[in-house]
Amino acid sequence: MILRNDLVRACDTVLAASAFKDYTVNGLQVAGRDEVRRVMSGVTACQALLDEAVAWGADLLLVHHGYFWKNEPVPITGIKQQRIRTLLLNDINLLAYHLPLDAHAELGNNAELGRLLDFQVDGCADGELGQGLVWLGGLPQAATPAALARQVGERLGREPLLIEAPGGHAIRRVAWCTGGAQDMITLAWEAGADAFISGEISERTTHLAREFGIHYLAAGHHATERYGVQALGAWIAREFGVEHRFVDIDNPA
């Protein structure tokens, strides 16, 4: 067992949450019971995940995508009211970390994705490791775009959308940023990457990839961001002796 406030302080500290200018509130978003014995983690605090937390008797729900995003409507009505009502009625804490969980050098989404795909990390295009969001690394050996796409699909359990650059050149150096980071393709190209991997794709991304001459793989927002929250949940379980369970609510996006 650990007191909620002690757990929150520990997570805020290890993720350096206050160092990030974000689109949402990082840390404790909804307060529940004071003592934490069971932590459930998931990507997004949707109603399906909340229902799983209630059924399991979770004391704290740990997510990457929580609530209170910049420019979202302020009134607590509709779906927003139902979600928050579920947490409050069941005395469940909601703990959410967005950019701090993307960037962390050991527990973050980018770190975990690079590890899963066997990339040899050598830095970030937009800051120091642990602060930057566009990660850079090499492949164990050069690969064709199709071969890298197959590897990504096999490891993530989801076939990526591949935009192959003209000429189909081999990939030796790769850049990646999980989630909805398709517009960071410019940073990836400027850093000399042969390919860039993110979660989503926009109409403009295809043209940028072709004109830059960089391969682009849209591997899924949800699929690329399942791993940081699991790593953080496992860290909490090791550090504080609480029970941790990850629940993957399927999402094809």
Side-chain angles (χ1 to χ4, degrees), residues 193-236:
D194 300 307
F196 179 52
I197 300 170
S198 190
E200 299 184 15
I201 187 167
S202 299
E203 189 274 344
R204 60 188 174 274
T205 317
T206 297
H207 302 296
L208 290 172
R210 290 171 177 167
E211 292 172 36
F212 282 143
I214 184 173
H215 307 299
Y216 181 68
L217 290 85
H221 194 135
H222 178 85
T224 57
E225 295 197 326
R226 286 180 296 198
Y227 305 101
V229 74
Q230 292 184 63
L232 181 58
W235 177 84
I236 290 170

Tab-separated table of all heavy atoms in Angstrom, residues 193-236:
chain	number	residue	atom	x	y	z
A	193	ALA	N	17.136	11.232	-41.260
A	193	ALA	CA	16.541	9.903	-41.177
A	193	ALA	C	16.096	9.436	-42.552
A	193	ALA	O	15.615	10.216	-43.381
A	193	ALA	CB	15.355	9.914	-40.219
A	194	ASP	N	16.228	8.131	-42.780
A	194	ASP	CA	15.729	7.525	-44.017
A	194	ASP	C	14.239	7.218	-43.919
A	194	ASP	O	13.549	7.116	-44.941
A	194	ASP	CB	16.466	6.211	-44.299
A	194	ASP	CG	17.964	6.411	-44.453
A	194	ASP	OD1	18.356	7.257	-45.268
A	194	ASP	OD2	18.724	5.728	-43.735
A	195	ALA	N	13.759	7.061	-42.691
A	195	ALA	CA	12.348	6.746	-42.465
A	195	ALA	C	11.895	7.391	-41.165
A	195	ALA	O	12.694	7.596	-40.250
A	195	ALA	CB	12.122	5.240	-42.405
A	196	PHE	N	10.601	7.693	-41.109
A	196	PHE	CA	9.994	8.258	-39.903
A	196	PHE	C	8.763	7.439	-39.560
A	196	PHE	O	7.944	7.131	-40.429
A	196	PHE	CB	9.613	9.724	-40.123
A	196	PHE	CG	8.961	10.386	-38.941
A	196	PHE	CD1	9.544	10.335	-37.684
A	196	PHE	CD2	7.769	11.076	-39.081
A	196	PHE	CE1	8.954	10.947	-36.583
A	196	PHE	CE2	7.172	11.705	-38.000
A	196	PHE	CZ	7.761	11.634	-36.746
A	197	ILE	N	8.646	7.074	-38.283
A	197	ILE	CA	7.516	6.296	-37.802
A	197	ILE	C	6.749	7.119	-36.781
A	197	ILE	O	7.336	7.667	-35.838
A	197	ILE	CB	7.979	4.981	-37.144
A	197	ILE	CG1	8.760	4.118	-38.133
A	197	ILE	CG2	6.784	4.207	-36.581
A	197	ILE	CD1	9.444	2.926	-37.483
A	198	SER	N	5.445	7.209	-36.968
A	198	SER	CA	4.581	7.809	-35.953
A	198	SER	C	3.275	7.032	-35.935
A	198	SER	O	3.179	5.947	-36.510
A	198	SER	CB	4.363	9.298	-36.227
A	198	SER	OG	3.714	9.909	-35.114
A	199	GLY	N	2.277	7.593	-35.275
A	199	GLY	CA	1.034	6.865	-35.141
A	199	GLY	C	0.021	7.163	-36.229
A	199	GLY	O	-0.622	6.263	-36.751
A	200	GLU	N	-0.128	8.428	-36.574
A	200	GLU	CA	-1.195	8.849	-37.478
A	200	GLU	C	-0.642	9.392	-38.790
A	200	GLU	O	0.567	9.596	-38.943
A	200	GLU	CB	-2.050	9.917	-36.804
A	200	GLU	CG	-2.724	9.446	-35.526
A	200	GLU	CD	-3.648	10.502	-34.938
A	200	GLU	OE1	-3.985	11.484	-35.646
A	200	GLU	OE2	-4.041	10.348	-33.773
A	201	ILE	N	-1.545	9.622	-39.720
A	201	ILE	CA	-1.178	10.246	-40.986
A	201	ILE	C	-2.255	11.252	-41.363
A	201	ILE	O	-3.444	11.030	-41.105
A	201	ILE	CB	-1.005	9.194	-42.112
A	201	ILE	CG1	-0.462	9.856	-43.383
A	201	ILE	CG2	-2.310	8.429	-42.366
A	201	ILE	CD1	0.023	8.866	-44.420
A	202	SER	N	-1.832	12.367	-41.930
A	202	SER	CA	-2.746	13.360	-42.490
A	202	SER	C	-2.552	13.392	-43.996
A	202	SER	O	-1.550	12.891	-44.522
A	202	SER	CB	-2.464	14.744	-41.892
A	202	SER	OG	-2.650	14.744	-40.486
A	203	GLU	N	-3.481	13.988	-44.677
A	203	GLU	CA	-3.386	14.071	-46.152
A	203	GLU	C	-2.070	14.687	-46.580
A	203	GLU	O	-1.415	14.220	-47.521
A	203	GLU	CB	-4.586	14.866	-46.688
A	203	GLU	CG	-4.748	14.849	-48.199
A	203	GLU	CD	-3.938	15.927	-48.908
A	203	GLU	OE1	-3.490	16.881	-48.235
A	203	GLU	OE2	-3.757	15.817	-50.146
A	204	ARG	N	-1.630	15.711	-45.873
A	204	ARG	CA	-0.404	16.412	-46.259
A	204	ARG	C	0.851	15.572	-46.041
A	204	ARG	O	1.881	15.811	-46.669
A	204	ARG	CB	-0.286	17.718	-45.469
A	204	ARG	CG	-0.235	17.516	-43.969
A	204	ARG	CD	-0.307	18.819	-43.194
A	204	ARG	NE	-0.400	18.593	-41.750
A	204	ARG	CZ	-1.548	18.392	-41.112
A	204	ARG	NH1	-2.690	18.370	-41.785
A	204	ARG	NH2	-1.575	18.197	-39.811
A	205	THR	N	0.768	14.607	-45.127
A	205	THR	CA	1.948	13.820	-44.788
A	205	THR	C	2.472	13.054	-45.999
A	205	THR	O	3.687	12.924	-46.178
A	205	THR	CB	1.641	12.820	-43.653
A	205	THR	OG1	0.863	13.457	-42.652
A	205	THR	CG2	2.929	12.302	-43.033
A	206	THR	N	1.577	12.542	-46.817
A	206	THR	CA	1.981	11.791	-48.005
A	206	THR	C	2.837	12.655	-48.920
A	206	THR	O	3.905	12.227	-49.397
A	206	THR	CB	0.739	11.290	-48.759
A	206	THR	OG1	0.018	10.394	-47.925
A	206	THR	CG2	1.132	10.583	-50.050
A	207	HIS	N	2.400	13.870	-49.153
A	207	HIS	CA	3.143	14.757	-50.055
A	207	HIS	C	4.490	15.157	-49.456
A	207	HIS	O	5.513	15.201	-50.165
A	207	HIS	CB	2.309	16.000	-50.361
A	207	HIS	CG	0.990	15.688	-50.977
A	207	HIS	ND1	0.863	15.095	-52.213
A	207	HIS	CD2	-0.277	15.860	-50.509
A	207	HIS	CE1	-0.414	14.929	-52.499
A	207	HIS	NE2	-1.133	15.384	-51.477
A	208	LEU	N	4.509	15.431	-48.164
A	208	LEU	CA	5.773	15.787	-47.524
A	208	LEU	C	6.774	14.646	-47.600
A	208	LEU	O	7.958	14.855	-47.905
A	208	LEU	CB	5.526	16.166	-46.053
A	208	LEU	CG	4.796	17.488	-45.813
A	208	LEU	CD1	4.442	17.635	-44.337
A	208	LEU	CD2	5.647	18.663	-46.274
A	209	ALA	N	6.320	13.437	-47.328
A	209	ALA	CA	7.217	12.283	-47.375
A	209	ALA	C	7.799	12.110	-48.769
A	209	ALA	O	9.017	11.899	-48.941
A	209	ALA	CB	6.470	11.023	-46.952
A	210	ARG	N	6.967	12.192	-49.789
A	210	ARG	CA	7.432	12.021	-51.160
A	210	ARG	C	8.401	13.121	-51.575
A	210	ARG	O	9.414	12.866	-52.229
A	210	ARG	CB	6.234	11.990	-52.109
A	210	ARG	CG	5.385	10.727	-51.976
A	210	ARG	CD	4.107	10.854	-52.774
A	210	ARG	NE	3.308	9.620	-52.716
A	210	ARG	CZ	2.037	9.545	-53.126
A	210	ARG	NH1	1.427	10.634	-53.604
A	210	ARG	NH2	1.384	8.390	-53.042
A	211	GLU	N	8.090	14.349	-51.185
A	211	GLU	CA	8.933	15.470	-51.614
A	211	GLU	C	10.223	15.569	-50.812
A	211	GLU	O	11.253	15.996	-51.339
A	211	GLU	CB	8.119	16.769	-51.548
A	211	GLU	CG	7.004	16.783	-52.588
A	211	GLU	CD	6.051	17.951	-52.442
A	211	GLU	OE1	6.497	19.060	-52.071
A	211	GLU	OE2	4.835	17.755	-52.681
A	212	PHE	N	10.192	15.170	-49.541
A	212	PHE	CA	11.426	15.103	-48.756
A	212	PHE	C	12.279	13.907	-49.173
A	212	PHE	O	13.501	13.926	-49.019
A	212	PHE	CB	11.118	14.959	-47.257
A	212	PHE	CG	10.701	16.227	-46.568
A	212	PHE	CD1	9.733	16.205	-45.567
A	212	PHE	CD2	11.278	17.452	-46.885
A	212	PHE	CE1	9.360	17.361	-44.905
A	212	PHE	CE2	10.903	18.613	-46.240
A	212	PHE	CZ	9.940	18.578	-45.244
A	213	GLY	N	11.630	12.865	-49.672
A	213	GLY	CA	12.356	11.635	-49.973
A	213	GLY	C	12.608	10.801	-48.732
A	213	GLY	O	13.635	10.146	-48.601
A	214	ILE	N	11.641	10.796	-47.812
A	214	ILE	CA	11.756	10.024	-46.577
A	214	ILE	C	10.567	9.068	-46.493
A	214	ILE	O	9.428	9.446	-46.761
A	214	ILE	CB	11.815	10.964	-45.342
A	214	ILE	CG1	12.032	10.166	-44.049
A	214	ILE	CG2	10.584	11.832	-45.236
A	214	ILE	CD1	12.262	11.073	-42.830
A	215	HIS	N	10.811	7.819	-46.176
A	215	HIS	CA	9.722	6.858	-46.017
A	215	HIS	C	8.935	7.191	-44.742
A	215	HIS	O	9.529	7.580	-43.732
A	215	HIS	CB	10.276	5.434	-45.906
A	215	HIS	CG	11.194	5.050	-47.017
A	215	HIS	ND1	10.801	5.010	-48.335
A	215	HIS	CD2	12.513	4.690	-47.012
A	215	HIS	CE1	11.823	4.639	-49.092
A	215	HIS	NE2	12.869	4.450	-48.316
A	216	TYR	N	7.618	7.002	-44.806
A	216	TYR	CA	6.792	7.282	-43.635
A	216	TYR	C	5.925	6.081	-43.312
A	216	TYR	O	5.288	5.502	-44.199
A	216	TYR	CB	5.907	8.504	-43.850
A	216	TYR	CG	5.062	8.821	-42.626
A	216	TYR	CD1	5.665	9.275	-41.462
A	216	TYR	CD2	3.688	8.635	-42.622
A	216	TYR	CE1	4.927	9.534	-40.322
A	216	TYR	CE2	2.932	8.904	-41.488
A	216	TYR	CZ	3.561	9.346	-40.344
A	216	TYR	OH	2.819	9.593	-39.211
A	217	LEU	N	5.897	5.707	-42.032
A	217	LEU	CA	5.055	4.615	-41.565
A	217	LEU	C	4.105	5.134	-40.491
A	217	LEU	O	4.560	5.614	-39.440
A	217	LEU	CB	5.888	3.474	-40.980
A	217	LEU	CG	6.720	2.645	-41.960
A	217	LEU	CD1	8.067	3.330	-42.207
A	217	LEU	CD2	6.957	1.245	-41.419
A	218	ALA	N	2.806	5.050	-40.771
A	218	ALA	CA	1.780	5.385	-39.794
A	218	ALA	C	1.370	4.091	-39.114
A	218	ALA	O	0.655	3.271	-39.693
A	218	ALA	CB	0.585	6.043	-40.472
A	219	ALA	N	1.842	3.890	-37.900
A	219	ALA	CA	1.710	2.597	-37.232
A	219	ALA	C	0.560	2.538	-36.237
A	219	ALA	O	0.376	1.521	-35.570
A	219	ALA	CB	3.020	2.247	-36.532
A	220	GLY	N	-0.206	3.613	-36.116
A	220	GLY	CA	-1.350	3.630	-35.209
A	220	GLY	C	-1.082	4.420	-33.936
A	220	GLY	O	-0.100	4.165	-33.253
A	221	HIS	N	-1.945	5.386	-33.655
A	221	HIS	CA	-1.781	6.199	-32.449
A	221	HIS	C	-1.842	5.311	-31.201
A	221	HIS	O	-0.943	5.321	-30.360
A	221	HIS	CB	-2.875	7.269	-32.400
A	221	HIS	CG	-2.628	8.357	-31.420
A	221	HIS	ND1	-2.822	9.685	-31.710
A	221	HIS	CD2	-2.194	8.332	-30.127
A	221	HIS	CE1	-2.522	10.420	-30.645
A	221	HIS	NE2	-2.144	9.614	-29.672
A	222	HIS	N	-2.895	4.532	-31.115
A	222	HIS	CA	-3.051	3.641	-29.964
A	222	HIS	C	-1.952	2.580	-29.933
A	222	HIS	O	-1.360	2.316	-28.886
A	222	HIS	CB	-4.427	2.976	-30.019
A	222	HIS	CG	-4.683	2.013	-28.910
A	222	HIS	ND1	-5.158	2.404	-27.678
A	222	HIS	CD2	-4.528	0.669	-28.827
A	222	HIS	CE1	-5.292	1.351	-26.895
A	222	HIS	NE2	-4.917	0.274	-27.562
A	223	ALA	N	-1.670	1.992	-31.085
A	223	ALA	CA	-0.704	0.890	-31.141
A	223	ALA	C	0.693	1.321	-30.712
A	223	ALA	O	1.426	0.544	-30.091
A	223	ALA	CB	-0.657	0.300	-32.552
A	224	THR	N	1.080	2.553	-31.031
A	224	THR	CA	2.428	3.012	-30.670
A	224	THR	C	2.516	3.528	-29.248
A	224	THR	O	3.622	3.717	-28.731
A	224	THR	CB	2.912	4.124	-31.626
A	224	THR	OG1	1.987	5.218	-31.614
A	224	THR	CG2	3.056	3.595	-33.057
A	225	GLU	N	1.367	3.754	-28.605
A	225	GLU	CA	1.395	4.353	-27.266
A	225	GLU	C	0.862	3.421	-26.178
A	225	GLU	O	0.439	3.875	-25.113
A	225	GLU	CB	0.638	5.687	-27.281
A	225	GLU	CG	1.343	6.712	-28.159
A	225	GLU	CD	0.921	8.141	-27.936
A	225	GLU	OE1	-0.280	8.364	-27.638
A	225	GLU	OE2	1.767	9.029	-28.070
A	226	ARG	N	0.924	2.122	-26.414
A	226	ARG	CA	0.488	1.161	-25.406
A	226	ARG	C	1.579	0.833	-24.391
A	226	ARG	O	1.295	0.220	-23.352
A	226	ARG	CB	0.079	-0.161	-26.080
A	226	ARG	CG	-1.237	-0.092	-26.797
A	226	ARG	CD	-1.583	-1.415	-27.439
A	226	ARG	NE	-0.621	-1.775	-28.468
A	226	ARG	CZ	-0.862	-2.681	-29.407
A	226	ARG	NH1	-2.012	-3.323	-29.416
A	226	ARG	NH2	0.045	-2.957	-30.316
A	227	TYR	N	2.817	1.239	-24.641
A	227	TYR	CA	3.936	0.640	-23.923
A	227	TYR	C	4.493	1.495	-22.790
A	227	TYR	O	4.939	0.958	-21.783
A	227	TYR	CB	5.031	0.261	-24.927
A	227	TYR	CG	4.468	-0.643	-25.997
A	227	TYR	CD1	4.145	-0.149	-27.252
A	227	TYR	CD2	4.184	-1.980	-25.715
A	227	TYR	CE1	3.571	-0.967	-28.221
A	227	TYR	CE2	3.613	-2.805	-26.673
A	227	TYR	CZ	3.313	-2.289	-27.926
A	227	TYR	OH	2.730	-3.094	-28.866
A	228	GLY	N	4.455	2.802	-22.917
A	228	GLY	CA	4.963	3.655	-21.846
A	228	GLY	C	4.163	3.524	-20.575
A	228	GLY	O	4.714	3.421	-19.470
A	229	VAL	N	2.844	3.513	-20.695
A	229	VAL	CA	2.002	3.421	-19.502
A	229	VAL	C	2.171	2.069	-18.820
A	229	VAL	O	2.105	1.966	-17.585
A	229	VAL	CB	0.528	3.724	-19.866
A	229	VAL	CG1	-0.119	2.570	-20.626
A	229	VAL	CG2	-0.277	4.099	-18.637
A	230	GLN	N	2.436	1.021	-19.609
A	230	GLN	CA	2.720	-0.289	-19.003
A	230	GLN	C	4.036	-0.255	-18.234
A	230	GLN	O	4.148	-0.825	-17.141
A	230	GLN	CB	2.790	-1.360	-20.080
A	230	GLN	CG	1.472	-1.651	-20.755
A	230	GLN	CD	1.568	-2.788	-21.742
A	230	GLN	OE1	1.861	-3.920	-21.367
A	230	GLN	NE2	1.320	-2.494	-23.016
A	231	ALA	N	5.038	0.385	-18.820
A	231	ALA	CA	6.339	0.473	-18.151
A	231	ALA	C	6.238	1.275	-16.863
A	231	ALA	O	6.831	0.909	-15.837
A	231	ALA	CB	7.360	1.101	-19.095
A	232	LEU	N	5.491	2.384	-16.897
A	232	LEU	CA	5.322	3.186	-15.684
A	232	LEU	C	4.539	2.414	-14.628
A	232	LEU	O	4.880	2.445	-13.440
A	232	LEU	CB	4.617	4.504	-16.018
A	232	LEU	CG	4.394	5.457	-14.847
A	232	LEU	CD1	5.702	5.834	-14.173
A	232	LEU	CD2	3.640	6.715	-15.316
A	233	GLY	N	3.502	1.704	-15.053
A	233	GLY	CA	2.738	0.894	-14.105
A	233	GLY	C	3.588	-0.185	-13.464
A	233	GLY	O	3.489	-0.442	-12.260
A	234	ALA	N	4.443	-0.828	-14.261
A	234	ALA	CA	5.334	-1.861	-13.717
A	234	ALA	C	6.338	-1.252	-12.752
A	234	ALA	O	6.685	-1.856	-11.726
A	234	ALA	CB	6.053	-2.569	-14.865
A	235	TRP	N	6.813	-0.038	-13.055
A	235	TRP	CA	7.748	0.660	-12.152
A	235	TRP	C	7.071	0.961	-10.816
A	235	TRP	O	7.665	0.747	-9.745
A	235	TRP	CB	8.223	1.952	-12.811
A	235	TRP	CG	9.128	2.766	-11.941
A	235	TRP	CD1	10.476	2.612	-11.775
A	235	TRP	CD2	8.744	3.882	-11.104
A	235	TRP	NE1	10.955	3.550	-10.884
A	235	TRP	CE2	9.920	4.333	-10.464
A	235	TRP	CE3	7.533	4.520	-10.852
A	235	TRP	CZ2	9.900	5.414	-9.580
A	235	TRP	CZ3	7.518	5.596	-9.972
A	235	TRP	CH2	8.697	6.028	-9.346
A	236	ILE	N	5.834	1.427	-10.872
A	236	ILE	CA	5.088	1.706	-9.639
A	236	ILE	C	4.941	0.436	-8.809
A	236	ILE	O	5.134	0.444	-7.582
A	236	ILE	CB	3.698	2.298	-9.978
A	236	ILE	CG1	3.848	3.719	-10.550
A	236	ILE	CG2	2.796	2.313	-8.750
A	236	ILE	CD1	2.561	4.281	-11.121
